Amino acid sequence: MGGCHHRMTGVSVPEESPTVVIGNFDGVHRGHQALVQQAKKLDPDGHVVVVTFWPHPLTVLAPDQAPALLCPLERRIDWLTGAGASEVRVVNFTPEIAKWSPADFVERMITPLQPEHVLVGQNFRFGRHAVGTPQ
């Protein structure tokens, strides 16, 4: 179940407009798998890029509140590709990224991918103080 992946420091532009799925995806449970499969249904012949974070954002923001992880990063990547991801991109979550506004996050992480669609889980929040919402 291996797959193509790399750590994101800058964002390279994909060859085609992908469907992008963003989230932490620890454990890659059924809900995570369903999100990736929904992305495949939106674009069955297209490229599905999953963007995930390492380390877990709470490890950087509030280490005392960080959850114990369910699986190592390599297993997460394998499970995401097994669920249908064409590619898994790992964002190295840093204190600098934690300071980005939601607009900065979109401009630096999402826009360069030139996505056709972007999917996130219902509880997904992003940007400084987690004020960014899917809307």
Side-chain angles (χ1 to χ4, degrees):
M1 278 212 286
C4 172
H5 71 278
H6 67 277
R7 290 198 182 267
M8 286 175 65
T9 47
V11 178
S12 61
V13 177
E15 293 179 18
E16 56 187 282
S17 294
T19 296
V20 175
V21 185
I22 309 168
N24 195 55
F25 302 112
D26 184 36
V28 192
H29 59 63
R30 288 183 183 169
H32 297 147
Q33 293 170 26
L35 197 58
V36 175
Q37 290 163 2
Q38 181 181 358
K40 288 296 284 184
K41 286 179 185 172
L42 281 172
D43 194 2
D45 299 320
H47 195 72
V48 173
V49 176
V50 173
V51 176
T52 189
F53 307 94
W54 192 265
H56 190 288
L58 281 178
T59 302
V60 173
L61 299 170
D64 57 321
Q65 297 174 30
L69 295 180
L70 300 173
C71 69
L73 179 61
E74 290 303 318
R75 184 167 296 154
R76 181 188 308 175
I77 292 166
D78 286 345
W79 287 345
L80 287 166
T81 56
S86 308
E87 179 180 355
V88 176
R89 294 189 179 208
V90 180
V91 173
N92 182 22
F93 196 85
T94 64
E96 176 190 341
I97 289 175
K99 293 177 187 173
W100 289 357
S101 70
D104 287 338
F105 181 87
V106 170
E107 181 181 322
R108 295 179 186 190
M109 291 289 173
I110 308 309
T111 302
L113 294 172
Q114 301 176 357
E116 184 73 25
H117 307 281
V118 177
L119 283 81
V120 296
Q122 65 185 28
N123 296 326
F124 183 74
R125 299 292 180 268
F126 63 100
R128 188 174 187 167
H129 304 298
V131 296
T133 66
Q135 290 73 28

